[in-house]
Amino acid sequence: MNCSLRTATFVSLVVAVACGQKGPPLAPFVRVPAAVGNVASQRIGGDIYLSFPVPATNQDGKQPADIGSLEVYAVTATQPPATEGQREAATLIATIPVRPILPDLPVPLNGSPPPVIPLPPGVDRSATVVVKEPITADLLAPVVLEPAEDTETKTEDTESDTFGPLVAPPPTLLPRRHYFVVGVSPGGRKSDPSTPLSVPLETASSAPGAPKIEYSETQMTLTWPPSPDARTSTFLLPPPVQPTNASPS
């Protein structure tokens, strides 16, 4: 009796130890906000306006987005930044805080509405953000971005008396203002940058003159003097067809 009891006790201990074994280690769960999309721009006079929505999901598609702020970067160059090294030349021009999600307050026992809690500064998830940057003399000065490693061109040896086709030289690349946005989690983890958005910096033409309206019983004509520095058309439109009264047959 004693031997069988000891054997049963030993078997139960082995089973208990086997059930407590740990599996392979799992990768840590990292919450990173999704990349910002749908960035749009508009230039009005001497200001550049950017608009974009706040991400509502994380990089893995789960909601709500674990995001604490948005960082807007800009750089003036002849080409948009495409690599991490080129993006390091950009300047942080704005930081927009994102409000945390506040829990619902319990309803008081007397039935009165809960007290109003002032919201912290910032924007909510899925809201549209608008950022304005004035065009200054420092902003117009371009910087030279470092060459990308995967865009290095390799030249081949050719004979000196071989000529290629005669083509026009490539157009001059004028500097542009390139913007991209990065989402930052409360723990400091950054999302992938948004697709760079390029805004031309050429001087805008002056406004046209005041319009002049002339009208009769059958037509209305609108004319105005063009801007003195505006580009004119290279073709002439045909004259308008004058209405004629059909003669009785």
Side-chain angles (χ1 to χ4, degrees):
M1 283 298 287
N2 294 336
C3 293
S4 60
L5 178 62
R6 291 176 183 176
T7 303
T9 304
F10 176 77
V11 172
S12 63
L13 290 177
V14 172
V15 173
V17 172
C19 293
Q21 288 182 351
K22 296 182 180 180
L26 300 177
F29 182 70
V30 179
R31 294 180 178 178
V32 179
V36 178
N38 298 327
V39 183
S41 66
Q42 184 178 10
R43 178 177 173 180
I44 302 177
D47 298 320
I48 298 175
Y49 292 85
L50 299 177
S51 61
F52 49 88
V54 182
T57 62
N58 287 330
Q59 195 174 27
D60 56 1
K62 295 184 179 180
Q63 295 181 343
D66 190 35
I67 184 170
S69 62
L70 292 164
E71 296 179 348
V72 183
Y73 294 86
V75 61
T76 302
T78 57
Q79 60 182 2
T83 63
E84 183 177 358
Q86 292 177 348
R87 287 190 292 267
E88 291 179 355
T91 302
L92 177 63
I93 64 171
T95 301
I96 301 97
V98 179
R99 297 190 187 100
I101 299 177
L102 301 178
D104 297 332
L105 297 178
V107 179
L109 297 178
N110 57 6
S112 60
V116 178
I117 298 178
L119 295 176
V123 294
D124 297 324
R125 292 159 182 80
S126 300
T128 300
V129 180
V130 178
V131 177
K132 182 182 75 171
E133 185 184 31
I135 300 177
T136 61
D138 296 337
L139 181 148
L140 297 175
V143 300
V144 179
L145 301 180
E146 65 177 21
E149 296 180 356
D150 55 350
T151 58
E152 294 181 354
T153 57
K154 297 180 180 181
T155 59
E156 298 180 356
D157 296 335
T158 57
E159 297 181 1
S160 58
D161 56 351
T162 303
F163 298 93
L166 298 178
V167 295
T172 303
L173 295 178
L174 299 177
R176 293 184 170 219
R177 192 68 170 168
H178 308 284
Y179 297 91
F180 61 91
V181 187
V182 176
V184 184
S185 69
R189 302 183 182 93
K190 293 189 176 183
S191 69
D192 295 333
S194 63
T195 302
L197 181 66
S198 303
V199 179
L201 298 176
E202 291 84 356
T203 304
S205 60
S206 57
K212 180 181 179 181
I213 302 177
E214 297 178 352
Y215 61 92
S216 63
E217 295 180 357
T218 58
Q219 66 180 0
M220 178 182 294
T221 304
L222 178 64
T223 60
W224 63 89
S227 303
D229 53 355
R231 180 184 299 175
T232 58
S233 61
T234 58
F235 60 93
L236 298 177
L237 296 176
V241 178
Q242 298 294 335
T244 58
N245 297 326
S247 58
S249 57

